[in-house]
């Protein structure tokens, strides 16, 4: 199994100079980005660096990616979402609150049932499966899990492997939907150096830079994404700012996000979880399929188009889903997608510790 998941030990980068490793990571990222783009995949600028970083990690590469550019990238993505939204996001929640409750809690119930079943079957130690199956807030779930008798390495693998699977499958679904709904549709070509309002660009950068330490100080879950999103939404609505994000800045942010996800998959972690790989993969695929079924029901019984419903019910991460939605046709309801993703994020943060408590209580009662 280890051989299946990892290249042979002689295929290693750990003795390469750091400069060579960075050069290799950048070049391979460009190659994969061009490859995904040639397949007309939405979010190729995210999937390319992510693919390169995973390959780089399992070959024992050891470049260090600072947390600061990743935090900044999340802020940029938050502003990108806010730029594409209006206060429709609140109207969507209020107007369709039964749909939101049904969509949000159906995904959470499905994920908790999968986690509970894996826990009861003792396929994973302690409460690992409950935390690993949580549909969102990957970093927060990983960090919190260690305090609740869970194996943080397995949780991290389950969470970030799910993020990758969701991103790739959602991109394929988006591509298929675009091809079937409009045979003439092509992903728009990127104008890398468009005319720009430099004053609003400076305000946008200031918003992101200020929001990062505030979210850290206030311990806001996923705050580096959500605080610029909602603050930018308000300021833009009041007319104080017009969020301005040049394509090069977005490309940089997508690259940082892709690298941050991919570089978490070290050879040591993959070797450690190799014996559980098929259980993890099966659980993730079942979760994605069931969430897709909920999206299909949502589209069938409401006015929402199928791709919007699918992306809204996809089990995280919200930043990669936002990028895929932004790369899709204009009729995609970004407000609905981000509203449901945000509400579910909050619900996940509240529900998983509670489910962990119930699992502990049930275990203790069984022992007694």
């Amino acid at each position: 199994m280890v051989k299946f998941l990892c290249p042979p030990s002689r295929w290693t980068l750990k003795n390469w100079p750091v400069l060579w490793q960075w050069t290799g990571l950048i070049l391979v990222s460009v190659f994969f980005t061009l490859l995904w783009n040639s397949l007309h995949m939405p979010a190729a600028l995210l999937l390319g660096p992510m693919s390169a970083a995973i390959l780089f990690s399992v070959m024992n590469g050891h470049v260090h990616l600072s947390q600061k550019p990743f935090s900044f990238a999340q802020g940029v993505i938050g502003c990108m979402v806010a730029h594409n939204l209006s206060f429709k996001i609140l109207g969507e929640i209020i107007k369709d609150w039964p749909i939101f409750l049904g969509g949000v809690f159906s995904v959470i119930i499905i994920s908790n049932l999968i986690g509970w079943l894996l826990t009861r079957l003792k396929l994973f130690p302690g409460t690992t499966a409950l935390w690993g199956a949580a549909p969102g807030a990957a970093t927060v779930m990983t960090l919190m899990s260690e305090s609740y008798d869970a194996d943080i390495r397995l949780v991290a693998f389950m969470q970030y492997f799910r993020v990758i699977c969701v991103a790739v499958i959602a991109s394929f679904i988006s591509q298929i939907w675009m091809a079937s709904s409009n045979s003439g549709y092509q992903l728009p070509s990127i104008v890398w150096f468009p005319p720009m309002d430099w004053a609003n660009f400076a305000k946008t950068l200031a918003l992101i830079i200020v929001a990062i330490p505030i979210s850290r100080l206030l311990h806001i879950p996923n705050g580096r994404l959500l605080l610029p999103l909602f603050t930018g939404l308000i300021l833009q609505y009041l007319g104080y700012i017009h969020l301005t994000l040049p394509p090069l800045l977005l490309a940089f942010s997508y690259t940082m996000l892709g690298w941050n996800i991919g570089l978490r998959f070290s050879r040591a972690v993959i070797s450690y979880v190799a014996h559980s790989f098929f259980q993890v993969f099966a659980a993730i695929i079942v979760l994605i399929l069931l969430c897709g079924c909920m999206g299909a029901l949502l589209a069938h019984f409401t006015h929402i188009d199928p791709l919007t419903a699918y992306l809204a019910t996809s089990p995280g991460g919200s930043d990669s889903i936002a990028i895929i939605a932004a790369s899709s046709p204009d009729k995609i309801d970004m407000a609905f997608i981000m509203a449901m993703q945000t509400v579910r994020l909050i619900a996940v943060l509240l529900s998983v510790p509670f489910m962990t408590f119930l699992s502990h209580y049930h275990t203790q009662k069984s022992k007694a």
Side-chain angles (χ1 to χ4, degrees):
M1 175 58 64
V2 176
K3 291 181 180 179
F4 172 73
L5 292 173
C6 297
S9 58
R10 66 180 180 275
W11 296 0
T12 180
L13 302 174
K14 64 181 180 180
N15 295 323
W16 285 28
V18 174
L19 180 60
W20 287 19
Q21 294 196 41
W22 270 112
T23 303
L25 178 60
I26 293 170
L27 292 176
V28 176
S29 297
V30 171
F31 168 78
F32 275 114
T33 299
L34 293 174
L35 177 63
W36 286 115
N37 191 62
S38 69
L39 297 173
H40 305 291
M41 289 290 290
L45 292 172
L46 169 71
L47 297 177
M50 186 189 298
S51 305
I54 294 170
L55 177 63
F56 189 87
S57 293
V58 299
M59 293 179 68
N60 278 336
H62 56 82
V63 299
H64 175 67
L65 184 63
S66 172
Q67 187 68 20
K68 291 181 180 179
F70 174 61
S71 300
F72 179 78
Q74 285 187 301
V76 171
I77 292 167
C79 287
M80 180 269 292
V81 174
H83 175 71
N84 291 306
L85 294 182
S86 65
F87 263 86
K88 268 183 70 179
I89 193 169
L90 297 178
E92 291 282 355
I93 295 174
I94 296 170
K95 180 183 70 175
D96 297 322
W97 67 266
I99 297 174
F100 266 83
L101 288 181
V104 167
F105 285 102
S106 62
V107 174
I108 291 176
I109 289 170
I110 289 170
S111 64
N112 281 333
L113 282 175
I114 291 174
W116 180 82
L117 179 63
L118 293 174
T119 300
R120 295 294 298 161
L121 293 174
K122 297 182 179 180
L123 296 176
F124 301 100
T127 59
T128 298
L130 283 171
W131 292 93
T139 302
V140 179
M141 292 295 103
T142 301
L143 295 175
M144 290 176 63
S145 65
E146 196 170 22
S147 302
Y148 289 86
D149 192 30
D151 189 318
I152 191 171
R153 291 171 293 183
L154 267 174
V155 172
F157 181 79
M158 291 178 71
Q159 283 288 337
Y160 288 102
F161 189 55
R162 187 200 75 245
V163 169
I164 289 172
C165 290
V166 168
V168 173
I169 292 173
S171 292
F172 273 111
I173 294 293
S174 180
Q175 182 191 27
I176 293 169
W177 171 256
M178 289 186 292
S180 62
S181 62
N182 184 357
S183 58
Y185 180 83
Q186 294 290 332
L187 289 175
S189 58
I190 300 174
V191 180
W192 290 106
F193 300 100
M196 191 167 60
D197 185 332
W198 290 98
N200 277 306
F201 177 54
K203 291 179 184 178
T204 304
L205 289 180
L207 169 63
I208 297 168
I209 293 169
V210 170
I212 292 171
I214 292 177
S215 65
R216 189 183 302 118
L217 181 66
L218 298 179
H219 302 289
I220 302 173
N222 213 18
R224 293 166 297 188
L225 172 72
L226 296 179
L227 191 59
L229 194 163
F230 288 109
T231 306
L233 193 61
I234 294 169
L235 292 176
Q236 187 164 255
Y237 175 77
L238 295 175
Y240 291 117
I241 188 175
H242 178 73
L243 294 169
T244 303
L245 299 163
L248 283 175
L249 181 62
L250 289 173
F252 167 81
S253 301
Y254 297 170
T255 299
M256 290 300 105
L257 178 62
W259 281 352
N260 187 272
I261 295 172
L263 289 174
R264 295 172 185 267
F265 289 83
S266 67
R267 183 190 292 260
V269 170
I270 291 179
S271 297
Y272 173 77
V273 302
H275 65 283
S276 305
F277 175 78
F278 285 122
Q279 293 96 316
V280 171
F281 183 70
I284 289 170
I285 295 301
V286 169
L287 176 61
I288 293 173
L289 287 175
L290 291 177
C291 290
C293 291
M294 294 309 305
L297 291 174
L298 198 62
H300 180 72
F301 290 106
T302 67
H303 61 280
I304 301 162
D305 70 270
L307 184 55
T308 295
Y310 177 78
L311 293 176
T313 55
S314 290
S318 56
D319 39 17
S320 55
I321 291 298
I323 294 170
I324 294 166
S327 304
S328 300
D330 291 339
K331 66 180 179 179
I332 295 299
D333 192 340
M334 176 75 88
F336 186 89
I337 293 169
M338 292 311 300
M340 185 167 285
Q341 290 281 340
T342 302
V343 171
R344 191 180 71 234
L345 171 67
I346 297 170
V348 164
L349 293 172
L350 296 175
S351 68
V352 176
F354 178 70
M355 287 296 297
T356 302
F357 169 77
L358 289 181
S359 178
H360 268 305
Y361 176 78
H362 186 272
T363 302
Q364 294 299 326
K365 189 175 180 181
S366 300
K367 289 180 179 178

